[in-house]
Amino acid sequence: GAVVSQHPSRVICKSGTSVKIECRSLDFQATTMFWYRQFPKQSLMLMATSNEGSKATYEQGVEKDKFLINHASLTLSTLTVTSAHPEDSSFYICSARDLRGGRDTQYFGPGTRLTVL
Amino acid sequence: AQKVTQAQTEISVVEKEDVTLDCVYETRDTTYYLFWYKQPPSGELVFLIRRNSFDEQNEISGRYSWNFQKSTSSFNFTITASQVVDSAVYFCALSYDSSGSARQLTFGSGTQLTVLP
């Protein structure tokens, strides 16, 4: 199979603090992972592409200094929301690109619901 | 530019009815992939199917079937004999090369399917 985990599943923090979200591919190696944001009743919006061993690529309008991405190994990417504010409250979902057997499919984690007070 | 349109925002059916979810896409790429994902209330995106642009063969998997037609740029999804557990948001997505490396996904806006008992 292709399993992607995400931790934590839910986090509540105070305004001004930083929050780290981990995304792991459990049974395959992923040189590329993606971070999405989803507002209620809306579709997924790509925030950034995380590449193992190199800098992440951010989508237009996404502040790279606010959303720090680190892809230190072939199975782990982290997203850190720095100095979080209430407007950062959202559902964050990661995916890992599975290239085994030429399948080239993104498998998604269960998501992290961030609430900033 | 890549675009995926899911014109049906919400669909409601009674259990055991068949239901078709529409997806229309736009791309200039000659090689691309199309996907369907299911997002139940828990939030996790579940991979359902991936189709290569060169493979127009329709596919059936249990109660699910997919109709891919390049001539109309459509990739429709049918659930036969729907069940309450099929209630979820269904996303159609298109993947394309981004800067010659990672294949990014463009998502449609999603269709909320509600199956009533």
Side-chain angles (χ1 to χ4, degrees):
Chain A
V3 182
V4 178
S5 71
Q6 207 172 321
H7 179 80
S9 59
R10 190 178 294 267
V11 58
I12 301 173
C13 68
K14 292 182 178 180
S15 187
T17 60
S18 294
V19 175
K20 180 186 282 188
I21 303 171
E22 292 186 349
C23 179
R24 294 180 185 273
S25 55
L26 298 184
D27 54 355
F28 66 100
Q29 295 182 331
T31 54
T32 305
M33 293 184 175
F34 300 88
W35 287 95
Y36 297 84
R37 186 172 179 175
Q38 186 181 31
F39 290 105
K41 297 189 181 299
Q42 293 190 21
S43 188
L44 282 75
M45 297 299 298
L46 179 65
M47 298 175 65
T49 302
S50 171
N51 303 298
E52 188 269 337
S54 64
K55 291 183 179 179
T57 304
Y58 290 82
E59 294 302 298
Q60 192 173 10
V62 178
E63 300 176 56
K64 61 181 180 181
D65 294 331
K66 179 167 186 62
F67 298 100
L68 300 179
I69 291 173
N70 184 277
H71 195 152
S73 77
L74 288 171
T75 58
L76 172 65
S77 175
T78 60
L79 168 69
T80 301
V81 183
T82 62
S83 187
H85 291 285
E87 56 267 29
D88 298 324
S89 298
S90 188
F91 191 57
Y92 293 87
I93 310 175
C94 72
S95 72
R97 187 184 182 197
D98 184 0
L99 293 173
R100 292 175 299 173
R103 65 183 71 181
D104 200 357
T105 296
Q106 287 186 37
Y107 291 93
F108 287 80
T112 296
R113 191 162 303 283
L114 171 63
T115 303
V116 185
L117 302 176
Chain B
Q2 324 289 329
K3 186 178 180 181
V4 177
T5 302
Q6 293 179 255
Q8 305 152 307
T9 305
E10 295 183 18
I11 298 177
S12 198
V13 299
V14 178
E15 203 170 22
K16 297 184 182 177
E17 287 184 357
D18 299 347
V19 58
T20 295
L21 308 182
D22 298 332
C23 173
V24 175
Y25 63 93
E26 296 176 27
T27 179
R28 293 179 182 174
D29 289 343
T30 55
T31 302
Y32 53 90
Y33 298 92
L34 294 163
F35 300 80
W36 276 95
Y37 289 89
K38 171 183 179 179
Q39 187 177 40
S42 62
E44 180 174 1
L45 264 78
V46 178
F47 166 75
L48 296 178
I49 191 171
R50 166 181 171 270
R51 174 64 73 228
N52 183 306
S53 56
F54 295 110
D55 180 6
E56 286 193 72
Q57 186 173 5
N58 292 328
E59 181 161 338
I60 298 175
S61 176
R63 295 185 298 108
Y64 296 167
S65 62
W66 290 270
N67 183 1
F68 176 31
Q69 292 194 351
K70 286 181 76 171
S71 60
T72 56
S73 296
S74 65
F75 186 42
N76 296 337
F77 172 31
T78 297
I79 301 175
T80 303
S82 60
Q83 300 175 0
V84 174
V85 293
D86 295 328
S87 297
V89 180
Y90 290 85
F91 289 100
C92 180
L94 167 72
S95 82
Y96 63 98
D97 274 313
S98 173
S99 303
S101 55
R103 281 190 168 268
Q104 296 186 339
L105 282 175
T106 295
F107 282 87
S109 55
T111 298
Q112 169 70 60
L113 172 65
T114 301
V115 181
L116 302 170

